[in-house]
Amino acid sequence: FVKTDGSGNLAFDAIGSVGKLIKYTTFTHDGYVTGDYQGNPNSQSAGYQLINASYTPAAANSTIALFSSSLVIAEGVNHQNNFWLSAWEGSNFISAVSGSPRYTSFGSYLNATTLNYIGTFTSGSTTARNIMFRTGGNDAGSNTTTVYINGNPNGSYSGNQNRFTVFLAELAP
C-alpha cells in the first residue's frame, strides 16, 4: 500500500496483518422495494430482508469480512426515521450501520440516506450458516412507515440495473 511520512513523501509498504484470501463469494438483491419496514437493527425480524444466503467457511479459524455496495433508503411520510443496514451470521447479530441527515434538511421533512456496510466476524467452524442483511427505519412514533429502498415511486431501475451487492471475503489467520 502507499504511505506517507506526513511531509508529502510517499512510499510503498507491505500490508501487515491481513491474511491470505482463501475463499470469496457475492450475494445480490435486485430491484426497488417499498413497504412498512421498521424496527431496530438488532432484531432479526425487523425491517426488510435484502439477503439471506448460505455460506460454508473453508476454515474454522478464519476471519469473514463483509463489504456492501451502497443502499439508498428514504421515507414516504415524515416519521423522523433513522435508517439502518444490519448484518447477521445465522441468528447472531454482527453489527449495523445507521444514520440519516437531520430531517429538517429535506423538503417536507422526508428523510433519506445512503448506507454502506463493512464488518467482520470469526468463522468459528466450517459449518454452513446463513448470511443475512436487513434494512429499515426506526420509526420514532410506531406509525406505519413507508420506506423506499433503492428507488422511489417516481422512477427506479429494476433487475441487475439496480443491484445491491455484498462481497464476502474469507481470510486465513
Side-chain angles (χ1 to χ4, degrees), residues 74-112:
E75 66 182 346
V77 178
N78 177 25
H79 288 301
Q80 302 160 1
N81 285 294
N82 181 33
F83 301 109
W84 49 265
L85 175 62
S86 63
W88 295 80
E89 175 220 2
S91 61
N92 299 315
F93 174 67
I94 301 168
S95 64
V97 61
S98 65
S100 176
R102 184 159 163 74
Y103 71 96
T104 56
S105 302
F106 295 94
S108 300
Y109 301 127
L110 299 176
N111 283 324

Side-chain angles (χ1 to χ4, degrees), residues 27-87:
F27 309 114
T28 60
H29 177 278
D30 288 349
Y32 156 69
V33 178
T34 186
D36 182 14
Y37 302 116
Q38 59 179 302
N40 292 314
N42 62 349
S43 171
Q44 197 170 33
S45 61
Y48 176 77
Q49 179 179 285
L50 290 159
I51 306 270
N52 190 5
S54 181
Y55 180 75
T56 304
N61 60 347
S62 61
T63 297
I64 308 294
L66 300 166
F67 308 89
S68 83
S69 60
S70 296
L71 177 84
V72 176
I73 185 167
E75 66 182 346
V77 178
N78 177 25
H79 288 301
Q80 302 160 1
N81 285 294
N82 181 33
F83 301 109
W84 49 265
L85 175 62
S86 63

